[in-house]
Amino acid sequence: MLEVVALGCERDQRKLFTGLTFRLRAGDMLRIQGPNGSGKTSLLRLLCGLTQPTNGRVELFGQTLARQRDIRASKLLWIGHAAGVKALLTVEENLTWLSALHSTGETAAIGKALAAVGLRGFEDTPCHALSAGQQRRIALARLYLPNLPNLWLLDEPFTALDTAGTEQLEAHLARHCDHGGTVVLTTHHELSKRACAYVDLDLGQYTS
């Protein structure tokens, strides 16, 4: 599903990592960890094609990402470190907007996704009135929509979540992998629920 070959990354003329190689198949869960500044977010951005590597390559389903610019959004789901919600839009409007790349945005599906993350009853609430944790839940509600790509790339998905929300998300990610999906996530959080095929990657080992 996803293959990384001899990947290297520089930022501001500083090498973050070099010689990174791995392959992920359906069912795999990869947790990326490492010291601050080791390139965790940069690696995720390379994996979803938002930036280009200094050297090496990323292949998605056997083809380099550079050849899939117009269709890669249909093959992977990316949720960045920031919640990415619009403060003046309502909860329902935000999720409809966030899901546009992957889902039809039908009201029933939006409602079920919001209920899954504990936001039932907040549909018409402007997002500026919500806590940071609630705004994070809006972004994560995308993971409960139908017809999603099987590959999920998540940058610090547990940020601002309470204990219950963290446990729920862990279980949901593990289920996704155990049913044939693939998850790549960055986090310092020690997962208590993991997919059957789970691997840790320490980027600190690839710093030159």
Side-chain angles (χ1 to χ4, degrees), residues 85-94 97 123 125-128:
V85 302
K86 304 297 184 183
L88 296 180
L89 297 182
T90 67
V91 170
E92 183 174 333
E93 288 169 342
N94 263 287
W97 172 70
E123 290 86 351
T125 303
C127 287
H128 64 76

Side-chain angles (χ1 to χ4, degrees), residues 31-35 38 40 185 187-188 190 200-204:
R31 183 182 74 149
I32 302 168
Q33 55 180 324
S38 59
K40 298 183 294 296
L185 72 159
T187 184
H188 295 288
E190 291 292 337
D200 267 326
L201 171 65
D202 185 355
L203 271 188

Side-chain angles (χ1 to χ4, degrees), residues 29 144 158 161 163-176 185 187 189-195:
M29 176 182 286
Y144 293 85
F158 303 103
L161 292 183
T163 300
T166 296
E167 292 177 351
Q168 179 188 7
L169 180 57
E170 283 188 3
H172 186 60
L173 298 182
R175 281 195 301 271
H176 176 66
L185 72 159
T187 184
H189 171 70
E190 291 292 337
L191 301 174
S192 58
K193 296 182 179 66
R194 302 175 175 180

Side-chain angles (χ1 to χ4, degrees), residues 50-131:
L50 291 176
T51 56
Q52 297 301 312
T54 306
N55 46 61
R57 68 183 188 277
V58 178
E59 293 187 358
L60 183 63
F61 297 103
Q63 291 188 338
T64 60
L65 280 178
R67 297 180 179 179
Q68 304 184 63
R69 292 180 180 177
D70 296 333
I71 61 173
R72 64 190 177 209
S74 66
K75 294 187 175 184
L76 60 87
L77 184 151
W78 152 260
I79 297 180
H81 184 267
V85 302
K86 304 297 184 183
L88 296 180
L89 297 182
T90 67
V91 170
E92 183 174 333
E93 288 169 342
N94 263 287
L95 184 54
T96 301
W97 172 70
L98 288 169
S99 65
L101 287 175
H102 309 297
S103 177
T104 59
E106 294 178 357
T107 302
I110 295 293
K112 288 180 180 179
L114 291 175
V117 296
L119 290 177
R120 183 185 294 278
F122 289 87
E123 290 86 351
D124 297 325
T125 303
C127 287
H128 64 76
L130 301 179
S131 70

Side-chain angles (χ1 to χ4, degrees), residues 19-62:
L20 181 60
T21 297
F22 62 82
R23 178 182 294 176
L24 296 177
R25 298 177 175 84
D28 288 346
M29 176 182 286
L30 176 66
R31 183 182 74 149
I32 302 168
Q33 55 180 324
N36 291 338
S38 59
K40 298 183 294 296
T41 294
S42 295
L43 174 56
L44 279 192
R45 291 177 63 84
L46 291 173
L47 297 183
C48 65
L50 291 176
T51 56
Q52 297 301 312
T54 306
N55 46 61
R57 68 183 188 277
V58 178
E59 293 187 358
L60 183 63
F61 297 103

Side-chain angles (χ1 to χ4, degrees), residues 136-154:
R136 188 62 178 171
R137 286 170 183 259
I138 297 172
L140 295 172
R142 293 170 61 193
L143 303 177
Y144 293 85
L145 292 168
N147 305 317
L148 296 177
N150 284 332
L151 175 60
W152 296 355
L153 305 177
L154 312 175

